[in-house]
């Protein structure tokens, strides 16, 4: 066990020395990976924020319940009671047909037309503010209320929320595609770096094999190198995004003050950040593994 | 300790380097292997370490059937050997110390323990003062001694040396032979390929002679 640990420790040390031996090219390749990765990562971060935003505003549209024309005051009482117990409702208010007519008279400039009406054509209505829910939930609330016998019509405008949702879905798809492509590119970058390293360490590998080094011993520092390169690349992408968010938020301050809204972009969650680092480390490891399998067998001692 | 039975070695180009070679070396023996240039001495040593595989025949090293060894177990056969290569195989990108460290590194020894062992091995061949030097600065004899230190630092039970005294003057050669004898005296089996006649005049030890790939004595 102790020997096993010490072997891994040595391999890690060798890897870091290797990185330090060529600091400029190490940094360059890490930054290239970082810049490439910051594209899907940036889109992903934006989408996460948009999603939060859409969840946040999806309920601003009110749900209007128009009652049947023959609804009695006891019907109104009943709906009032039901709404009080209904989950996900932030607030609601009752708009009687008389008040609605008055509003129409005052606000629409149709006073003459309204005056000429013999009978009030407007129904009683409830205007409901709903707590943050997904567009689907909003629709199911609407469907439930529509089934109430006193309700003639339940109206909600979810179109824009649906559109945003579709847009987000498209973005998610784009992120997935980009991430796949760039993940592939990372594997290729590491593959090539390791190939060059193996070539420059030809003598050392040959001698090591001759005096009894196992394949896994020879592989180990290269695998570490690949994993570290992948992880460092992802970390630099993370940093690039962090700087970008910082800059955007600074300019958002003015905007938000102007419109008195509260919106700032958040960085990736801790879990997302950790997954990013681990996944990139794994990709780097994979690239190194493939490269080693391809090139190490070519170095057979003679 | 080492035994060959009806061993043939034909290289891929069709050249037959060893023909029907058979011999046995007991544990703790010191044996010379001699013969003209191209007789097959290096080939024979490479077969022992499974660097080359025989075309036919049986090779046993420390009770292991070398023919039957899988690729993954060859490293462990090589770890029981100390090998001095005819072309030295010194790494010039690191110090004398780091060169001798390598066999311990591949075995996963801890740094402290291995540093002490490396110094002991360098001391034994009289190179301790040069431990930080780059091997490129060493003289021919010093390079040979570096190779010996690297071959014995892990205390192998079998020591195989391919022309360890090549290009050395008689005094150097004698002192290097002294080192080999001292290993044999503590129980190490030693096989030395050489065509240095002054060494071969030493009648205390058995000599195997190859001629055109055949063992003639
Ligand atoms: N890889 C190879 N492919 C083809 N032929 C080879 C190979 N290695 C050695 N030979 C041939 O096998 C013969 C024996 O070679 P070997 O190296 O064993 O000789 P040697 O006895 O060690 O000679 P020297 O004293 O010059 O070192 C030589 O004729 C050589 O040309
Ligand atoms: Mg030879």
């Amino acid at each position: 066990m102790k020997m096993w640990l010490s072997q891994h420790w040595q391999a890690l040390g060798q890897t870091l020395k290797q990185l330090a031996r060529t600091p400029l090219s190490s940094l360059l390749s890490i930054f290239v990976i970082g810049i490439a990765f910051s594209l899907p990562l940036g889109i992903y971060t934006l989408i996460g924020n948009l999603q939060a935003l859409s969840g946040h505003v999806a309920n601003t549209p009110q749900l209007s319940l128009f009652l049947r024309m023959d609804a009695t005051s006891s019907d109104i009482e009943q709906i009032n009671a039901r709404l009080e117990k209904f989950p996900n409702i932030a607030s609601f208010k009752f708009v009687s047909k008389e008040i609605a007519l008055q509003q129409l008279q005052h606000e629409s400039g149709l006073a003459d037309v309204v005056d000429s009406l013999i009978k009030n054509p407007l129904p009683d209505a409830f205007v409901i503010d709903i707590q943050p829910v997904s567009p689907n939930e909003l629709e199911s609330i609407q469907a439930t209320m529509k089934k109430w016998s006193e309700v003639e019509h339940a109206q909600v405008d979810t179109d824009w929320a649906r559109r945003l949702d579709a847009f987000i879905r498209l973005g998610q798809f784009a992120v997935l595609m980009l991430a796949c492509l760039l993940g592939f590119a990372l594997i290729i970058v590491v593959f090539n770096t390791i190939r060059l390293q193996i070539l420059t360490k030809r003598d050392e590998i040959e001698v090591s094999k001759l005096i009894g080094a196992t394949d896994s011993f020879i592989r180990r520092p290269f695998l570490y190198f690949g994993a570290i390169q992948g992880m460092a690349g992802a970390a630099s992408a993370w940093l690039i995004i962090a700087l970008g968010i910082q800059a955007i938020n600074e300019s958002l301050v003015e905007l938000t003050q102007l419109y008195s809204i509260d919106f700032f972009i958040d960085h990736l969650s801790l879990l997302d950040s950790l997954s990013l680092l681990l996944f990139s480390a794994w990709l780097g490891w994979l690239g190194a593994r493939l490269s080693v399998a391809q090139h190490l067998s070519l170095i057979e001692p003679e | 300790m080492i035994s060959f039975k009806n061993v043939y070695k034909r290289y891929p180009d069709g050249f037959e380097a060893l023909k029907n070679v058979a011999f046995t070396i007991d544990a703790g023996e010191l044996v010379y292997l001699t013969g003209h240039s191209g007789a097959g001495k290096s080939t024979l040593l490479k077969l022992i370490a499974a660097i080359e595989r025989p075309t036919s025949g049986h090779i046993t090293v420390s009770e292991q059937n070398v023919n039957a060894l899988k690729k993954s177990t060859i490293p462990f056969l090589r770890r029981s050997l100390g090998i001095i290569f005819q072309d030295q195989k010194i790494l010039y990108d690191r110090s004398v110390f780091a060169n001798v460290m390598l066999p311990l590194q591949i075995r996963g020894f801890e740094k402290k323990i291995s540093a002490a062992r490396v110094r002991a091995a360098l001391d034994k061949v009289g190179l301790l003062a040069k431990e930080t030097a780059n091997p490129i600065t060493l003289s021919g004899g010093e390079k040979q001694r570096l190779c010996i230190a690297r071959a014995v630092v892990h205390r192998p039970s079998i020591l195989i040396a391919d022309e360890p005294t090549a290009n050395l003057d008689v005094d150097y050669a004698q002192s290097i032979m002294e080192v080999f004898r001292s290993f044999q005296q503590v129980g190490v089996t030693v096989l030395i390929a050489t065509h240095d006649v002054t060494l071969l005049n030493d009648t205390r030890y058995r000599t195997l002679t190859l001629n055109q790939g055949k063992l003639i004595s």
Side-chain angles (χ1 to χ4, degrees):
Chain A
M1 182 65 198
K2 207 171 181 185
M3 205 172 249
W4 181 85
L5 255 183
S6 130
Q7 284 202 335
H8 278 269
W9 198 240
Q10 279 181 17
L12 188 63
Q14 271 183 328
T15 307
L16 295 178
K17 256 186 234 155
Q18 175 75 30
L19 278 168
R21 207 170 295 154
T22 52
L24 191 68
S25 74
S26 298
L27 275 181
L28 272 180
S29 56
I30 284 169
F31 271 123
V32 166
I33 296 171
I35 290 167
F37 265 45
S38 63
L39 184 61
L41 193 61
I43 301 179
Y44 180 81
T45 313
L46 273 182
I47 283 176
N49 280 280
L50 271 184
Q51 226 166 358
L53 183 69
S54 96
H56 182 66
V57 213
N59 344 283
T60 315
Q62 293 151 331
L63 184 67
S64 305
L65 285 190
F66 299 105
L67 306 189
R68 297 158 67 97
M69 294 306 289
D70 55 3
T72 63
S73 61
S74 78
D75 288 340
I76 294 166
E77 292 277 287
Q78 235 171 27
I79 290 189
N80 203 61
R82 262 185 235 152
L83 286 178
E84 253 158 20
K85 280 187 228 129
F86 205 91
N88 291 330
I89 287 183
S91 66
F92 66 91
K93 73 175 184 213
F94 175 67
V95 181
S96 69
K97 50 180 130 188
E98 291 79 20
I99 292 179
L101 193 66
Q102 273 173 25
Q103 276 179 357
L104 195 63
Q105 251 172 332
H106 286 145
E107 289 167 16
S108 60
L110 293 173
D112 292 344
V113 182
V114 173
D115 276 342
S116 69
L117 291 173
I118 305 160
K119 199 175 151 225
N120 184 351
L122 297 176
D124 288 324
F126 281 91
V127 178
I128 307 166
D129 285 330
I130 292 174
Q131 282 166 359
V133 289
S134 72
N136 278 331
E137 281 174 289
L138 193 61
E139 229 167 69
S140 85
I141 291 172
Q142 179 195 16
T144 312
M145 294 184 174
K146 215 173 195 165
K147 284 199 203 99
W148 294 347
S149 58
E150 305 83 358
V151 173
E152 176 78 48
H153 189 61
Q155 189 180 320
V156 62
D157 182 16
T158 56
D159 273 4
W160 72 272
R162 292 225 158 270
R163 251 174 247 143
L164 184 61
D165 224 42
F167 180 74
I168 286 173
R169 235 173 282 256
L170 185 71
Q172 277 168 338
F173 183 66
V175 166
L176 198 68
M177 296 267 292
L178 272 175
C180 283
L181 277 175
L182 292 169
F184 206 63
L186 172 64
I187 291 178
I188 293 171
V189 168
V190 173
F191 185 91
N192 200 41
T193 317
I194 297 295
R195 184 180 72 87
L196 292 175
Q197 262 184 35
I198 289 176
L199 289 181
T200 58
K201 288 186 160 191
R202 226 196 147 83
D203 289 345
E204 181 182 349
I205 293 168
E206 190 196 334
V207 173
S208 300
K209 277 190 177 179
L210 281 175
I211 61 176
T214 56
D215 281 352
S216 62
F217 173 86
I218 292 172
R219 265 198 301 259
R220 207 170 289 131
F222 297 112
L223 298 183
Y224 269 104
F225 190 93
I228 286 177
Q229 204 179 26
M231 194 187 266
S236 65
W238 193 94
L239 273 180
I240 291 171
I241 296 302
L243 291 177
I245 288 176
Q246 172 102 31
I248 291 176
N249 277 346
E250 261 165 35
S251 52
L252 272 180
V253 168
E254 277 177 47
L255 260 178
T256 51
Q257 275 169 356
L258 217 58
Y259 292 96
S260 69
I261 47 169
D262 189 21
F263 178 65
F264 288 102
I265 297 182
D266 288 326
H267 204 339
L268 289 182
S269 68
L270 185 66
L271 188 68
D272 275 351
S273 306
L274 282 180
S275 324
L276 170 77
L277 291 182
L278 285 182
F279 186 62
S280 324
W282 181 77
L283 284 178
W285 180 90
L286 186 67
R289 185 70 229 250
L290 292 173
S291 188
V292 163
Q294 176 84 30
H295 301 112
L296 222 47
S297 59
L298 299 180
I299 304 178
E300 270 306 320
E302 52 91 30
Chain B
M1 205 68 182
I2 302 173
S3 99
F4 275 50
K5 262 185 223 153
N6 315 325
V7 172
Y8 286 80
K9 172 64 189 177
R10 184 181 298 119
Y11 279 108
D13 62 3
F15 185 83
E16 204 157 49
L18 290 179
K19 296 161 199 155
N20 199 15
V21 172
F23 65 89
T24 303
I25 297 173
D26 293 326
E29 252 193 297
L30 190 157
V31 175
Y32 291 117
L33 175 64
T34 187
H36 61 90
S37 180
K41 302 181 293 293
S42 298
T43 303
L44 191 150
L45 298 188
K46 283 176 186 169
L47 289 178
I48 295 174
I51 296 167
E52 295 286 355
R53 313 304 295 266
T55 312
S56 64
H58 290 280
I59 301 171
T60 316
V61 176
S62 339
E63 265 90 71
Q64 294 175 87
N65 183 352
V66 178
N67 307 59
L69 280 187
K70 274 184 282 163
K71 204 164 170 286
S72 58
T73 51
I74 288 175
F76 301 97
L77 165 74
R78 290 184 187 157
R79 288 181 189 193
S80 67
L81 310 173
I83 311 174
I84 294 154
F85 302 96
Q86 187 166 13
D87 55 354
Q88 298 190 323
K89 310 263 184 213
I90 293 170
L91 296 175
Y92 293 101
D93 64 347
R94 61 197 72 196
S95 67
V96 167
F97 184 89
N99 266 278
V100 181
M101 183 72 121
L102 198 62
L104 301 179
Q105 229 173 339
I106 64 164
R107 287 168 175 76
F109 274 69
E110 271 184 83
K111 271 238 167 72
K112 261 189 221 152
I113 301 173
S114 41
R117 281 225 200 167
V118 170
R119 297 220 166 81
L122 284 173
D123 194 27
K124 182 134 201 156
V125 297
L127 269 186
L128 197 49
K130 301 262 184 181
E131 62 168 310
T132 56
N134 186 292
I136 207 94
T137 64
L138 299 184
S139 74
E142 286 168 336
K143 281 181 191 158
Q144 283 295 8
R145 286 186 273 155
L146 165 59
C147 293
I148 296 172
R150 188 181 63 189
V152 301
V153 68
H154 57 285
R155 299 173 190 161
S157 53
I158 301 174
L159 191 55
I160 294 170
D162 200 348
E163 309 279 1
T165 60
N167 314 319
L168 294 187
D169 60 41
V170 183
D171 284 351
Y172 263 135
Q174 284 303 341
S175 81
I176 281 177
M177 287 315 299
E178 273 317 310
V179 175
F180 287 127
R181 274 181 212 121
S182 71
F183 281 110
Q184 188 243 341
Q185 269 153 21
V186 296
V188 179
T189 310
V190 186
L191 177 58
I192 304 167
T194 182
H195 41 222
D196 189 331
V197 263
T198 50
L199 295 180
L200 297 169
N201 287 339
D202 185 349
T203 50
R204 282 174 291 176
Y205 305 110
R206 195 148 67 97
T207 302
L208 300 172
T209 309
L210 278 170
N211 188 355
Q212 315 274 16
K214 285 196 186 120
L215 204 56
I216 52 172
S217 72

